[in-house]
Amino acid sequence: MKMKVRQVQKSDLEAVVAIEQAGFSPAEAASASTFAARIENMAETFLVAVADQGQVCGFVCGLVTTTRYVEDWMYEAQAKPISDGKYLNILSIAVAPKKRGQAVGSALLTALEEVAKAKEISSLSLTCLADRIGFYERNGYHNQGQSASTHANEVWYDMEKIISKKF
């Protein structure tokens, strides 16, 4: 599959919400209004994968902060990046069901890592469910143990990828 990764645009909102709802339970999934705010506030670290026919087939959304790991407050619609933050917390990554298993998620993580390097970010982190740990480990992330997050009453694990030790 031919695909390109680019920065999110306001016109991507409907596709992003549909992919999010297909990939997460109703309790876990962010709302359309939350994604509209993220597009507005985090466009620099919000990337979409676009298939050769032009449709959005996946996305990754991160928040630059001064906090090493994702915390539940970051899921709020009004969360905004901290300009001098050295951590990039991935709030959501999802791939359209028909495009899973085609390296879309890995391509999104790689592209976001390039953005992080350009911004002199020291590490990327995210929380995930136990059944997703292997995917992130294959992409260079390390399991840091059970997260303090109680989002959607699930058990989450902190995953982290160090980008630079100099910051």
Side-chain angles (χ1 to χ4, degrees), residues 88-155:
L88 182 54
N89 307 119
I90 297 173
L91 302 179
S92 189
I93 179 171
V95 175
K98 290 181 180 178
K99 299 295 183 182
R100 292 181 188 152
Q102 298 178 40
V104 175
S106 295
L108 286 162
L109 290 172
T110 299
L112 189 60
E113 184 176 334
E114 292 306 311
V115 171
K117 286 176 182 175
K119 294 180 75 53
E120 298 185 333
I121 295 295
S122 60
S123 73
L124 290 120
S125 72
L126 57 94
T127 59
C128 71
L129 300 173
D131 65 345
R132 311 280 195 314
I133 291 172
F135 167 76
Y136 293 110
E137 287 177 337
R138 287 189 299 279
N139 281 280
Y141 287 73
H142 299 279
N143 185 351
Q144 303 298 322
Q146 191 170 327
S147 171
S149 176
T150 58
H151 181 67
N153 294 317
E154 296 275 6
V155 175

Side-chain angles (χ1 to χ4, degrees), residues 34 40 47 60 65 111 134 144 161:
T34 295
E40 184 71 30
L47 306 176
V60 62
T65 72
Q144 303 298 322
K161 184 171 188 177

Side-chain angles (χ1 to χ4, degrees), residues 65-110:
T65 72
T66 54
T67 306
R68 186 171 172 187
Y69 299 121
V70 175
E71 295 179 358
D72 286 348
W73 66 266
M74 296 175 188
Y75 292 108
E76 297 171 13
Q78 68 271 22
K80 292 185 177 161
I82 298 170
S83 61
D84 62 346
K86 293 297 179 195
Y87 302 101
L88 182 54
N89 307 119
I90 297 173
L91 302 179
S92 189
I93 179 171
V95 175
K98 290 181 180 178
K99 299 295 183 182
R100 292 181 188 152
Q102 298 178 40
V104 175
S106 295
L108 286 162
L109 290 172
T110 299

